[in-house]
């Protein structure tokens, strides 16, 4: 199963709006006969790749899959039926499929006389598929908040300069995160301060470029901004009453309600608009104001901080107002991983409401 989980990870950045899935087929003697992963949306699923590699050795064997085999016909046929037709005798999967249009694969397999086991390394497999699973369960995109800061929690110097706080190694890792996301979101403050490009570059540029989203309540972005070039599609989210004539031909526009009782746009409405566009995962790269708004809305599912051994003493803080006024209201996260990237430290943490896994289907 761990091999299947590693295979699934190869599909990150390529399979959306579908999940990432890995599969290993063992022959009747328990030896690896074939393996595969879901490589691109619309292409063969992991089970089909693994069965093709295994050929006749799959008959009487075992399929080990990270996600319950699908049970519906979309752009490809149902994987549950492919496993039955290949003569598989046993299927072991990690995570039940929460998608109501695809679930039921375990039931189909059992009805065909196949031995089925669910839940093996469920949490580990779910973590690798956390964006898709969260999107399925919550009906909104998974939000990963990424930030870079000094050791004393500043994102820029007092004069606003911020290039570069972190190292080249950390910046390269950010492009890995971008490559795995369906959309990258920034606010108008970041737009005007940094004129970011937001496209994926370097070793990960072979993925489909994510949607660039600018949260710009008053539609202040001007033609000529780097985010409006042709390198990737761009969506500008504005207030319902904002004037957007200057954006015609330069970007898509989403008109959204203003936040209740405060400035900016309604975060839930923004996420709903992205969900309608098939966005499963968001990389939030906005500054402290936008990050604070997402945190206040309970809309951050994961945080990745790049901490540089640098001291500035003054300048904007990492996180703006998120509704916390006393220590008892503090948003306490659980650290899942720490690692070194050049001179910097990368910290990965989750808030209490994150959805790392789903229960196995009732058939298990």
């Amino acid at each position: 199963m761990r091999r299947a989980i590693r295979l699934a990870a190869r599909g990150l950045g390529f399979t959306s709006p579908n999940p990432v899935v890995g599969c290993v087929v063992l022959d009747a003697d328990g030896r690896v006969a074939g393996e595969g992963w879901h490589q691109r949306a619309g292409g063969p699923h992991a089970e089909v790749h693994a069965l093709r590699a295994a050929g006749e050795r799959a008959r009487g064997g075992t399929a080990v899959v990270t996600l319950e085999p699908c049970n519906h016909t979309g752009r490809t046929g149902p994987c549950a039926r492919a496993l039955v037709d290949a003569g598989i005798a046993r299927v072991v999967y990690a995570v039940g499929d929460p998608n109501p249009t695809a679930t039921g694969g375990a039931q189909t397999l059992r009805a065909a006389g196949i031995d089925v086991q669910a839940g093996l390394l469920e949490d580990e497999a779910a973590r690798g598929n956390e964006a898709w699973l969260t999107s399925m369960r919550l009906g909104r995109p998974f939000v990963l908040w990424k930030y870079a800061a000094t050791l004393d929690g500043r994102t820029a110097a007092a004069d606003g300069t911020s290039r570069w706080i972190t190292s080249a190694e950390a910046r390269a890792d950010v492009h890995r995160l971008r490559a795995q996301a369906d959309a990258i979101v920034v606010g108008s403050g970041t737009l005007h301060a940094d004129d970011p490009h937001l496209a994926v570059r370097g070793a990960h540029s072979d993925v489909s470029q994510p949607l660039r989203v600018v949260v710009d309540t008053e539609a202040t972005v001007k033609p000529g901004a780097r985010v409006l070039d042709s390198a990737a599609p761009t969506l500008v989210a504005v207030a319902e009453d904002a004037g957007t004539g200057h954006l015609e031909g330069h970007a898509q526009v989403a008109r959204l309600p203003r936040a209740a009782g405060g400035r900016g746009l309604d975060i839930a409405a923004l996420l709903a608009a992205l969900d309608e566009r098939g966005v499963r995962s968001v990389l939030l790269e906005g500054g402290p104001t936008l990050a604070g708004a997402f945190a206040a809305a309970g809309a951050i599912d994961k945080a990745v901080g790049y901490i540089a051994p640098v001291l500035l003493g003054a300048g904007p803080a990492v996180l703006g107002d998120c509704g916390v006024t006393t220590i008892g209201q503090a948003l306490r996260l659980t650290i899942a991983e720490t690692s070194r990237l050049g001179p910097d430290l990368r910290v990965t943490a989750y808030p209490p409401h994150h959805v790392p896994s789903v229960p196995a289907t009732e058939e298990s």
Side-chain angles (χ1 to χ4, degrees):
M1 183 61 80
R2 285 204 170 91
R3 174 59 180 166
I5 292 170
R6 289 194 294 271
L7 288 169
R10 297 184 183 183
L12 287 169
F14 297 94
T15 66
S16 188
N18 296 340
V20 294
V21 183
C23 178
V24 177
V25 171
L26 309 176
D27 65 18
D29 295 321
R31 295 171 298 197
V32 174
E35 59 183 33
W37 68 95
H38 186 32
Q39 298 177 11
R40 285 193 178 275
H45 291 184
E47 296 93 324
V48 173
H49 282 297
L51 289 171
R52 287 175 179 172
E56 282 302 310
R57 293 178 64 196
R59 192 162 300 278
T62 298
V64 181
V65 196
T66 57
L67 185 68
E68 178 186 3
C70 67
N71 198 44
H72 80 299
T73 300
R75 285 185 283 182
T76 60
C79 291
R81 175 50 54 186
L83 292 165
V84 172
D85 292 344
I88 287 289
R90 182 169 180 250
V91 172
V92 179
Y93 68 87
V95 181
D97 193 335
N99 185 349
T101 65
T103 193
Q107 185 175 6
T108 295
L109 293 169
R110 285 195 176 95
I114 294 176
D115 178 32
V116 179
Q117 176 187 345
L120 180 62
L121 298 184
E122 180 177 10
D123 286 348
E124 193 172 329
R127 182 73 78 197
N129 225 358
E130 61 190 356
W132 184 83
L133 289 170
T134 298
S135 177
M136 288 293 101
R137 294 197 65 195
L138 300 185
R140 65 156 175 81
F142 176 87
V143 178
L144 190 166
W145 172 42
K146 160 264 164 187
Y147 66 89
T150 62
L151 197 59
D152 56 346
R154 305 296 176 180
T155 60
D159 65 355
T161 56
S162 61
R163 296 184 179 178
W164 296 105
I165 285 176
T166 54
S167 64
E169 293 90 338
R171 298 196 298 276
D173 196 63
V174 170
H175 282 279
R176 177 185 63 85
L177 296 183
R178 287 181 177 179
Q180 294 175 2
D182 292 343
I184 302 168
V185 177
V186 299
S188 56
T190 298
L191 179 76
H192 296 304
D194 298 337
D195 190 23
H197 190 227
L198 302 182
V200 179
R201 301 189 299 273
H204 306 284
S205 58
D206 59 333
V207 302
S208 298
Q209 289 287 347
L211 176 69
R212 300 178 293 189
V213 181
V214 180
V215 181
D216 187 16
T217 307
E218 308 300 339
T220 59
V221 60
K222 297 293 191 296
R226 297 175 67 216
V227 76
L228 297 180
D229 70 9
S230 61
T234 300
L235 174 72
V236 181
V238 304
E240 293 168 322
D241 57 350
T244 58
H246 61 291
L247 292 175
E248 292 183 10
H250 296 283
Q252 306 171 49
V253 173
R255 295 187 174 276
L256 303 175
R258 294 177 183 268
R263 62 177 187 170
L265 300 177
D266 183 275
I267 298 301
L270 171 64
L271 292 175
L274 293 176
D275 182 69
E276 290 176 359
R277 288 168 168 78
V279 172
R280 302 288 193 214
S281 60
V282 162
L283 179 62
L284 176 60
E285 289 199 32
T289 300
L290 188 61
F294 268 78
I300 291 178
D301 302 297
K302 181 178 182 178
V304 175
Y306 298 89
I307 313 300
V310 176
L311 300 175
L312 286 174
V318 167
L319 187 65
D321 181 13
C322 60
V324 173
T325 58
T326 182
I327 192 66
Q329 299 173 331
L331 306 176
R332 299 189 182 275
L333 283 64
T334 299
I335 293 178
E337 181 187 13
T338 60
S339 58
R340 290 283 299 272
L341 288 173
D344 304 323
L345 180 67
R346 182 182 64 200
V347 179
T348 302
Y350 291 87
H353 76 272
H354 82 278
V355 187
S357 62
V358 296
T361 57
E362 61 182 17
E363 290 85 9
S364 65

